[in-house]
């Protein structure tokens, strides 16, 4: 079975082709970061238009890199949601057209479930059931993963996602976009204990990160609206630490509560070096972190989850619509 995975939920046009099981034959990601940078965040209308421009060429590139003809593809997986509806519809429509033309099945998958599945592309992967933390630009949630069809949310953010908190913090400090990666780099030279940022909802498995924005705005106000470049590393290291601390604490607590010995950390923020360092130091639990290129949005994770679902006989009709929220 050869599976094509298509991902267009936000600002990456990504595709991958998987050969038997999890053998990645090709893996292409076209990032729109430069297009959105002048606006300081993703502009949905521009994202959709860019996906339309890129999706055909990316498909051809993916076929060439895999060294196969389109007719050799036996199934298609596409992100159905959650995400920007206009952006999702580009991938979904492309998948439907291709499935129709080739006479093969297609399946729409949940983007967050695909992030969880990304860890199975490595040889060292967990056994069901396990606990997963999905931590991205739009979502922060803890799942008990029983199998690829049964994933139960046991904690999630009540407001901003962790990636959103990092991106917004960087924006407030005038550091640019995308903020998560900028903060990660800058924080390496800083003291994470220099400033006290709030850790919200300590007694719950739910998260709340929106207070961090207020805290940084307030701190800036006290400093007269500006911070010296020399103060930035300590400031962002402390801000990042507040996000990372809460993610590690609640994930370990959830694993204990639900008696899970294996933990998966995935999604764009799982690329954060401080988060990886702190999770790698967790004792008593086996922690799985996907390689960096599989943390941020990609087609391989969609293809792999689709491959698992298609091999169990799943497929969707052409009426399938995109979902901005799921569940
Ligand atoms: O999973 P993803 O690529 O897209 C969504 O599904 O949202 O995650 C994007 C998020 C952004 O908030 C970005 O700032 C964050 O992941 N991110 C990072 C790092 N790389 C990406 N945050 C912290 N450290 C990083 N190294
Ligand atoms: Zn994502």
């Amino acid at each position: 079975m050869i599976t094509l995975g298509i991902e267009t939920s936000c600002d990456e046009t990504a595709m991958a082709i998987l050969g038997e099981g999890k053998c990645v034959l090709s893996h292409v990601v076209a990032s729109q970061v430069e297009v959105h940078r002048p606006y300081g965040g993703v502009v949905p209308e521009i994202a959709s238009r860019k996906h339309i421009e890129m999706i055909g060429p990316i498909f051809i590139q993916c076929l060439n890199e895999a060294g196969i003809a389109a007719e050799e593809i036996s199934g298609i997986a596409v992100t159905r949601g959650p995400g920007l509806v206009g952006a999702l519809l580009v991938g979904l429509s492309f998948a439907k057209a291709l499935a129709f033309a080739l006479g093969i099945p297609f399946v729409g998958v949940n983007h967050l479930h695909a992030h969880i599945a990304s860890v199975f592309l490595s040889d060292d992967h967990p056994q069901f059931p396990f606990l997963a933390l999905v931590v991205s630009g739009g979502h922060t949630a803890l799942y008990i993963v029983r199998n690829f069809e049964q994933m139960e949310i046991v904690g999630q953010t009540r407001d901003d996602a962790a990636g959103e908190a990092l991106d917004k913090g960087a924006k407030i400090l005038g550091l640019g976009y995308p903020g998560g990666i900028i903060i990660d780099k800058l924080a390496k030279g800083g003291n994470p204990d220099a400033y006290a940022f709030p850790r919200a909802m300590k007694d719950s498995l739910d998260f709340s990160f929106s207070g961090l924005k207020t805290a940084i705005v307030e701190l800036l106000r006290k400093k007269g609206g500006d911070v010296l470049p020399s103060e930035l590393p300590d400031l962002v290291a402390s801000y990042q630490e507040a996000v990372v601390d809460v993610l590690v604490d609640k994930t370990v607590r959830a694993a204990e509560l639900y008696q899970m010995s294996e933990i998966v950390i995935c999604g764009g923020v799982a690329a954060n070096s401080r988060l990886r360092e702190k999770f790698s130091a967790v004792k008593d639990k086996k922690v799985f972190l996907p390689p960096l290129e599989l943390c941020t949005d990609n087609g391989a994770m969609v293809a792999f989850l689709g491959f698992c679902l298609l091999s169990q006989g799943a497929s969707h009709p052409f009426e399938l619509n995109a979902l901005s929220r799921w569940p």
Side-chain angles (χ1 to χ4, degrees):
M1 178 150 179
I2 292 186
T3 315
L4 171 71
I6 305 173
E7 158 60 41
T8 63
S9 68
C10 191
D11 60 344
E12 264 106 15
T13 317
M15 278 195 203
I17 296 176
L18 293 194
E20 249 343 289
K22 50 193 191 184
C23 166
V24 181
L25 301 179
S26 63
H27 167 47
V28 183
V29 180
S31 166
Q32 300 179 4
V33 164
E34 293 311 322
V35 184
H36 299 286
R37 199 190 297 282
Y39 306 95
V42 178
V43 183
E45 172 72 16
I46 296 177
S48 312
R49 288 171 184 268
K50 207 67 202 161
H51 284 310
I52 287 179
E53 279 172 31
M54 294 307 295
I55 199 154
I58 294 289
F59 177 54
I60 304 295
Q61 190 183 339
C62 228
L63 287 177
N64 290 342
E65 284 183 16
I68 62 160
E71 291 69 25
E72 292 177 68
I73 299 171
S74 41
I76 302 172
V78 58
T79 301
R80 181 192 179 191
L84 304 170
V85 165
L88 289 164
L89 284 173
V90 177
L92 192 55
S93 306
F94 190 88
K96 288 180 188 177
L98 198 60
F100 180 74
L102 297 173
I104 56 174
F106 84 98
V107 65
V109 308
N110 181 313
H111 179 80
L112 306 171
H113 294 185
H115 270 302
I116 295 172
S118 69
V119 81
F120 284 81
L121 286 161
S122 303
D123 288 336
D124 187 26
H125 61 75
Q127 303 294 318
F128 296 118
F130 56 85
L131 182 87
L133 169 71
V134 182
V135 67
S136 71
H139 297 86
T140 300
L142 286 164
Y143 289 82
I144 299 296
V145 183
R146 302 198 190 284
N147 54 52
F148 286 131
E149 281 157 301
Q150 286 181 293
M151 305 197 195
E152 183 197 344
I153 294 181
V154 294
Q156 61 188 317
T157 184
R158 301 263 181 101
D159 40 55
D160 291 351
E164 196 176 356
L166 293 170
D167 293 342
K168 286 180 178 170
K171 196 171 180 179
I172 294 167
L173 291 169
L175 299 176
Y177 163 87
I181 306 157
I182 298 169
I183 288 187
D184 189 357
K185 286 196 186 127
L186 200 53
K188 287 196 171 114
N191 171 8
D193 301 318
Y195 295 86
F197 283 103
R199 274 78 166 154
M201 302 186 70
K202 276 199 172 130
D203 299 325
S204 163
L205 289 183
D206 281 345
F207 303 84
S208 168
F209 292 108
S210 66
L212 280 171
K213 275 179 319 202
T214 319
I216 208 155
V217 167
E218 186 57 20
L219 197 138
L220 271 181
R221 195 185 59 77
K222 281 191 188 142
K223 284 182 176 288
D226 222 354
V227 278
L228 297 171
S230 59
E231 294 176 303
L232 275 174
D234 282 357
L235 188 55
V236 298
S238 305
Y239 188 84
Q240 174 183 266
E241 197 72 1
V243 175
V244 169
D245 258 0
V246 170
L247 293 172
V248 176
D249 278 3
K250 289 184 192 252
T251 305
V252 171
R253 197 135 39 90
E256 267 156 23
L257 195 65
Y258 290 94
Q259 296 171 348
M260 296 287 151
S261 57
E262 297 189 316
I263 300 176
V264 166
I265 316 297
C266 56
V269 182
N272 182 269
S273 49
R274 183 68 178 150
L275 187 84
R276 295 177 85 87
E277 187 184 318
K278 285 201 128 184
F279 268 117
S280 303
V282 167
K283 304 259 182 312
D284 307 328
K285 306 282 171 207
K286 185 150 194 253
V287 178
F288 297 85
L289 286 150
L292 294 188
E293 77 271 16
L294 293 179
C295 288
T296 42
D297 290 348
N298 65 85
M301 64 184 194
V302 177
F304 180 71
L305 178 56
F307 161 76
C308 296
L309 299 174
L310 288 162
S311 12
Q312 286 162 16
S315 74
H316 278 126
F318 289 117
E319 292 78 26
L320 190 79
N321 213 336
L323 297 172
S324 62
R325 293 174 150 267
W326 184 355

